[in-house]
Amino acid sequence: MLTNLTNAAWWKDAALRGLYTALAIALPYLGAALVADVPWLTIALTASLGFLASLVTSVAGLPEVEGVELPWWLAAVERVVKTFAQSLAAGFIGATLITDVDWAFVLQAAFLAALTSLVRLILATLPGDPTRVPIDAGEAAPGTVVNITTLATAEEIAAVVDPHNPGNFTHPGAHNI
């Protein structure tokens, strides 16, 4: 677990996760700042605490660094629950007592942050263009892309469009982030 702290790939992925979490947490507070009196310092501190909470929870392990391929739904549930909890914890900024917390706002912000995390995850894992697939290296230069609707059979197209194959996602492995 602590060996992650010396792993450059872990730091890169943990920082990216932390950034996504900080943005997801800051968005509801930014929206509230437009209609209510939410200090900018509160927004910055809340996003920073969310970033740190994400780093701390990432110490337990990141599936994308460890090479673990989680099912999409499980990765989504994990990310949404973690983002909700991290946003909820970050919402305690400025509260001296538990009774000082504006629970309606903090719960609403945590829900919106979790929803933002889910939407980002969905967008990151949308399949790439299913009509573009690389040609066999023997037939053309490496990396050449063709329109498969004219060159592929229905079975070959179905294999490329398979939503259960992370290799077909726009950003492979993004469902673990």
Side-chain angles (χ1 to χ4, degrees):
M1 186 172 358
L2 293 178
T3 58
N4 289 335
L5 299 177
T6 60
N7 184 343
W10 180 87
W11 277 105
K12 177 183 163 264
D13 289 340
L16 187 61
R17 243 186 214 227
L19 180 63
Y20 287 143
T21 301
L23 289 173
I25 290 171
L27 284 177
Y29 286 88
L30 286 170
L34 296 175
V35 295
D37 189 24
V38 176
W40 288 100
L41 182 59
T42 300
I43 298 169
L45 288 174
T46 304
S48 298
L49 185 58
F51 179 83
L52 289 174
S54 181
L55 284 180
V56 169
T57 57
S58 294
V59 170
L62 295 175
E64 60 273 20
V65 174
E66 297 167 0
V68 175
E69 218 26 79
L70 295 177
W72 187 92
W73 67 269
L74 182 59
V77 167
E78 177 191 6
R79 284 303 319 137
V80 168
V81 169
K82 280 185 177 181
T83 302
F84 182 85
Q86 292 159 350
S87 179
L88 190 63
F92 296 152
I93 288 288
T96 307
L97 300 172
I98 198 84
T99 56
D100 294 339
V101 176
D102 181 358
W103 285 101
F105 177 74
V106 170
L107 287 171
Q108 182 180 13
F111 174 75
L112 288 173
L115 184 63
T116 301
S117 179
L118 179 62
V119 168
R120 191 211 59 83
L121 181 64
I122 290 169
L123 292 176
T125 57
L126 286 175
D129 184 356
T131 63
R132 295 173 56 88
V133 66
I135 297 178
D136 245 355
E139 297 177 27
T144 303
V145 177
V146 296
N147 184 331
I148 64 169
T149 57
T150 58
L151 297 175
T153 66
E155 293 79 23
E156 291 170 330
I157 293 173
V160 172
V161 179
D162 180 12
H164 303 292
N165 181 358
N168 293 336
F169 295 156
T170 305
H171 302 287
H175 70 289
N176 287 327
I177 295 178

